[in-house]
């Protein structure tokens, strides 16, 4: 079909040939317009490639070799910030800061730690606590990332398992947990188990197990106990705050005399019942427990009350180096009270805080104890000991205090005491035929003294005490011996026996074997120097 068959001027003005010519011209024009752009672009690129082929780059010259040396300015040691200065407590009239008795004083509050470390308690699910936890005052944040003192390295889960196996004590773990569960269920809503002494012993049992306020199983129990001891126990008037958010804090006793220290050391005659535990015992155990709590958590909230409580204890020591009821200064000496104060001094000595008079107090204690060791630590007297002999429980307590302070090694009197314990105490480790009163008291000290001494003495005692305690634990988890303090007649008395027994089951990992005091001081000094040399600009 040709163009002529279709092209036709509808108006009759052009012939077919004219129409075909016009159409051909139009097509040529459109073809030129369509091809012109691509042809120009193609030509430009061809020219560009052709031009580049004639370009000759300049030869590349190597940079001159530059030697670089690094110069590091010496960074001066960053001084550690000084802790806030705390006025010291002087147990004399008109020599202390006076607290206005009419001024409303808030409790010392302790805000809770956010969990920042691995769980130190054992993994089983938490027990169902019957007490209301809503009143818990919680702990302030701590910079601690774990057990803050190397002396407690044995309290980690791995170390506990290893040390139990080493001492053939795997069977004690179940009894220990039953005891701690019972204590947790029977803790009072305010965080105590009665007086400061029993509460301190219970707290020491949890701390010995490696538990802190961060622990899953017993964290709330531990936190409430610390809170009560630091803020609600007898003597907390030593530490008072104008306002809970105020930095203006006062440390000191109200206008008191030396004799009035009975209130702060033991508590009022009604209420807490601390006086019924013979005055000086509860305060010393409270200092002991709070010192270990500070050591294990590094929590700065405890620094202020601990320093105030420690000042009363240190200043309450007699010039001879021992202690008496109510921290009285007189001719009477009392080894039983002194033992708990010596242990508190040991715990304070391990803390990286300054306690005025602490070194001097320990220095006075050791010669006094060595004198008493000659007579196996008689209970009490009013003159320099020259005869008599303490019972096996008192003898073990005195030996342990010398061991903990690094002063027992090579002492023939201590060795003689340990031989006596092996001969007398091991055969008498019997629940139904115990020869003396205060069995838990004696067994506690004998357990720890034997462990520190080691050898056959410890091996024989370890086997004996495990069997007796495991066999005589109540199915609910507590112990109740009629010859122990309180005779197990109420919850407070049961808590005392249960805390002491639980502590005996932690002997394998609670403390390591103590070195001599010179080595201990050297190690602490080296540790402090190493910490001073550490610079962290972040």
């Amino acid at each position: 079909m040709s163009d002529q068959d279709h092209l036709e001027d509808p108006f009759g003005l052009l012939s077919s040939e004219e129409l075909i010519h016009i159409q051909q011209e139009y097509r040529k024009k459109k073809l030129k317009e369509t091809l012109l752009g691509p042809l120009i672009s193609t030509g430009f690129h061809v020219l560009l490639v052709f031009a580049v082929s004639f370009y000759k780059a300049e030869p590349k010259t190597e940079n001159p070799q530059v030697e670089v040396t690094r110069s590091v300015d010496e960074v001066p040691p960053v001084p550690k910030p000084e802790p806030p200065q705390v006025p010291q407590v002087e147990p004399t009239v008109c020599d202390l800061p006076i607290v206005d008795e009419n001024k409303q004083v808030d409790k010392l509050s302790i805000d809770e730690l956010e969990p920042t470390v691995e769980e130190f308690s054992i993994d089983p699910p938490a027990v169902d606590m019957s007490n209301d936890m809503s009143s818990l005052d919680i702990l302030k944040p701590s910079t601690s990332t774990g057990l803050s003192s190397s002396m407690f390295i044995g309290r980690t889960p791995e170390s506990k398992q290893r040390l139990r196996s080493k001492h053939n004590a795997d069977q004690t773990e179940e009894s220990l947990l039953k005891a701690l569960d019972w204590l947790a269920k029977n803790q009072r809503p305010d965080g105590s188990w009665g007086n400061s002494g029993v509460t301190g012993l219970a707290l020491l049992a949890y701390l010995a197990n490696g538990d802190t306020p961060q622990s899953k199983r017993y964290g709330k129990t531990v936190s409430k106990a610390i809170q009560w001891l630091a803020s609600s126990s007898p003597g907390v008037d030593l530490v008072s705050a104008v306002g809970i958010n105020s930095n203006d804090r006062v440390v000191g006793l109200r206008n008191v005399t030396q004799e009035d220290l009975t209130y702060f050391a033991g508590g009022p005659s009604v209420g807490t019942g601390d006086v019924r535990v013979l005055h000086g015992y509860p305060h010393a155990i409270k200092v002991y427990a709070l010192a270990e709590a500070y050591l294990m958590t590094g929590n700065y909230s405890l620094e202020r009350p601990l320093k105030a409580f420690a000042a009363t204890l240190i200043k309450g020591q007699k010039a001879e180096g021992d202690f008496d009821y109510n921290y009285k200064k007189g001719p009477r000496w009392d080894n039983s009270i002194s033992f708990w104060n010596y242990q508190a001094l040991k715990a304070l000595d391990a803390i990286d805080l300054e306690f005025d008079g602490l070194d001097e107090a320990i220095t006075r204690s050791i010669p006094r104890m060595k004198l008493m060791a000659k007579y196996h630590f008689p209970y009490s007297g009013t003159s320099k000991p020259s005869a008599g002999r303490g019972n096996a429980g008192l003898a073990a307590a005195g030996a342990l205090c010398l061991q903990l302070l690094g002063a027992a090694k090579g002492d023939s009197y201590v060795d003689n005491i340990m031989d006596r314990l092996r001969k007398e105490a091991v055969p008498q480790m019997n629940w139904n035929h115990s020869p003396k009163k205060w069995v838990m008291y004696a067994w506690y000290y004998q357990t720890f003294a034997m462990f520190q001494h080691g050898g056959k003495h410890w091996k024989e005692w370890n086997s004996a005490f495990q069997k007796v305690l495991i066999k005589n634990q109540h199915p609910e988890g507590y112990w109740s011996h009629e010859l122990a303090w309180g005779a197990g007649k109420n919850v407070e008395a049961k808590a005392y026996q249960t805390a002491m027994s639980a502590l005996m089951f932690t002997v394998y990992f609670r403390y390591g074997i103590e070195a001599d005091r010179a080595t201990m001081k050297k190690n602490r000094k080296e540790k402090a120097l190493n910490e001073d040399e550490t610079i962290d600009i972040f």
Side-chain angles (χ1 to χ4, degrees):
M1 185 178 294
S2 64
D3 292 332
Q4 285 89 343
D5 297 330
H6 296 282
L7 293 174
E8 182 178 5
D9 180 8
F11 302 103
L13 299 177
L14 299 174
S15 65
S16 298
E17 291 78 6
E18 290 174 328
L19 287 171
I20 291 172
H21 177 72
I22 291 172
Q23 188 180 43
Q24 290 174 344
E25 288 297 323
Y26 176 77
R27 287 175 177 170
K28 289 179 182 180
K29 182 178 179 182
K30 296 299 292 182
L31 181 63
K32 287 180 181 180
E33 291 176 356
T34 303
L35 295 178
L36 182 61
L39 287 174
I40 293 174
S41 177
T42 301
F44 175 76
H45 284 85
V46 170
L47 291 175
L48 182 62
V49 171
F50 182 75
V52 169
S53 65
F54 286 94
Y55 174 76
K56 189 173 183 180
E58 295 182 3
K60 184 178 180 181
T61 59
E62 296 184 359
N63 291 330
Q65 189 70 24
V66 179
E67 182 178 355
V68 179
T69 61
R70 183 171 62 181
S71 176
V72 180
D73 293 336
E74 182 178 354
V75 179
V78 178
K80 298 173 72 173
E82 291 292 331
Q85 295 296 317
V86 180
Q88 298 301 313
V89 179
E90 294 287 344
T92 55
V93 180
C94 300
D95 197 24
L96 301 167
I98 306 302
V99 180
D100 184 358
E101 296 189 37
N102 297 320
K103 185 176 290 184
Q104 182 64 34
V105 177
D106 294 331
K107 276 188 179 181
L108 177 68
S109 177
I110 307 180
D111 299 326
E112 187 167 11
L113 291 156
E114 289 295 328
T116 57
V117 300
E118 293 184 2
E119 178 61 50
F120 289 107
S121 64
I122 300 175
D123 292 335
V127 294
D128 181 18
M129 303 303 173
S130 59
N131 290 334
D132 180 15
M133 298 297 182
S134 62
S135 63
L136 174 63
D137 286 326
I138 46 183
L139 298 176
K140 288 183 179 177
S142 167
T143 57
S144 171
T145 58
L147 295 179
S148 63
S149 175
S150 60
M151 71 180 287
F152 296 142
I153 193 64
R155 303 184 187 188
T156 62
E158 298 79 10
S159 295
K160 289 191 296 184
Q161 182 178 359
R162 176 177 57 82
L163 292 170
R164 279 196 188 99
S165 297
K166 177 182 177 181
H167 293 282
N168 299 316
D170 291 329
Q171 63 274 17
T172 65
E173 181 178 10
E174 181 181 354
S175 287
L176 173 60
L177 291 179
K178 285 172 63 178
L180 297 178
D181 285 349
W182 184 89
L183 285 169
K185 290 177 181 178
N186 287 276
Q187 185 182 33
R188 294 181 179 182
D190 63 6
S192 74
W193 284 270
N195 63 68
S196 300
V198 176
T199 302
L201 290 171
L203 176 57
L204 284 169
Y206 285 106
L207 296 172
N209 190 50
D211 290 301
T212 70
Q214 301 172 21
S215 298
K216 179 180 179 181
R217 184 164 182 158
Y218 302 119
K220 289 184 178 180
T221 302
V222 174
S223 186
K224 289 177 67 177
I226 294 174
Q227 166 66 25
W228 186 84
L229 285 173
S231 296
S232 300
S233 62
V236 296
D237 286 22
L238 290 166
V239 182
S240 56
V242 175
I244 204 63
N245 297 319
S246 171
N247 292 324
D248 184 14
R249 291 178 180 266
V250 179
V251 177
L253 296 171
R254 290 195 291 259
N255 189 16
V256 297
T257 66
Q258 179 70 34
E259 293 301 313
D260 291 328
L261 278 173
T262 177
Y263 176 83
F264 297 99
S269 57
V270 294
T272 66
D274 277 14
V275 164
R276 290 183 278 113
V277 195
L278 305 179
H279 316 296
Y281 290 102
H283 187 78
I285 296 172
K286 173 166 63 178
V287 173
Y288 190 1
L290 289 177
E292 283 210 6
Y294 182 88
L295 271 167
M296 288 188 63
T297 66
N299 193 287
Y300 64 81
S301 297
L302 298 177
E303 179 178 341
R304 193 179 300 274
L306 178 57
K307 281 194 169 185
F309 298 149
T312 297
L313 187 152
I314 293 170
K315 293 180 182 297
Q317 186 185 37
K318 294 165 53 187
E320 297 85 353
D322 54 64
F323 295 84
D324 191 14
Y325 290 129
N326 306 332
Y327 297 109
K328 292 180 180 178
K329 305 293 180 64
R332 186 182 186 277
W333 47 265
D334 189 302
N335 276 323
S336 184
I337 285 179
S338 296
F339 296 145
W340 288 111
N341 285 277
Y342 293 148
Q343 291 172 85
L345 291 177
K346 158 66 180 178
L348 294 172
D349 195 36
I351 298 178
D352 57 351
L353 295 176
E354 293 294 329
F355 295 94
D356 288 346
L358 177 61
D359 287 340
E360 294 81 358
I362 293 175
T363 300
R364 286 191 295 268
S365 299
I366 293 175
R368 187 64 169 177
M369 282 191 285
K370 284 185 173 289
L371 171 64
M372 295 293 181
K374 182 178 180 180
Y375 304 98
H376 289 209
F377 296 91
Y379 171 62
S380 65
T382 56
S383 61
K384 185 177 180 180
S386 58
R389 190 170 80 152
N391 64 47
L394 291 169
L400 174 63
C401 291
L402 283 170
Q403 290 165 340
L404 293 178
L405 290 172
K409 188 175 182 180
D411 189 299
S412 61
Y413 296 123
V414 172
D415 292 339
N416 182 262
I417 289 173
M418 303 313 298
D419 290 338
R420 176 192 174 189
L421 294 181
R422 184 186 179 192
K423 181 180 178 180
E424 294 182 15
V426 173
Q428 293 174 352
M429 183 60 191
N430 187 302
W431 187 269
N432 296 319
H433 302 286
S434 181
K436 294 290 182 181
K437 203 173 181 180
W438 317 120
V439 291
M440 287 296 179
Y441 174 95
W443 291 348
Y444 168 84
Y445 281 122
Q446 289 163 357
T447 298
F448 279 88
M450 289 288 206
F451 175 80
Q452 288 290 325
H453 191 73
K456 293 181 179 179
H457 300 69
W458 163 243
K459 186 176 181 180
E460 294 173 7
W461 178 265
N462 183 33
S463 176
F465 99 87
Q466 283 186 34
K467 293 176 183 177
V468 170
L469 290 186
I470 292 174
K471 181 180 178 180
N472 291 280
Q473 185 178 26
H474 191 277
E476 292 183 13
Y478 65 84
W479 282 267
S480 179
H481 197 297
E482 62 180 4
L483 296 182
W485 175 82
K489 294 180 179 179
N490 53 39
V491 172
E492 184 179 36
K494 289 183 176 71
Y496 163 76
Q497 295 193 42
T498 303
M500 294 290 270
S501 299
L503 283 167
M504 285 185 248
F505 280 143
T506 70
V507 66
Y508 312 103
F509 45 80
R510 187 182 180 195
Y511 301 127
I513 305 299
E514 295 294 351
D516 62 273
R517 180 159 173 77
T519 302
M520 292 160 61
K521 293 182 69 174
K522 178 182 177 183
N523 292 340
R524 283 198 300 273
K525 184 176 180 181
E526 290 177 350
K527 178 184 177 182
L529 289 174
N530 291 335
E531 290 175 348
D532 288 343
E533 291 171 358
T534 302
I535 299 176
D536 185 356
I537 64 174
F538 300 105

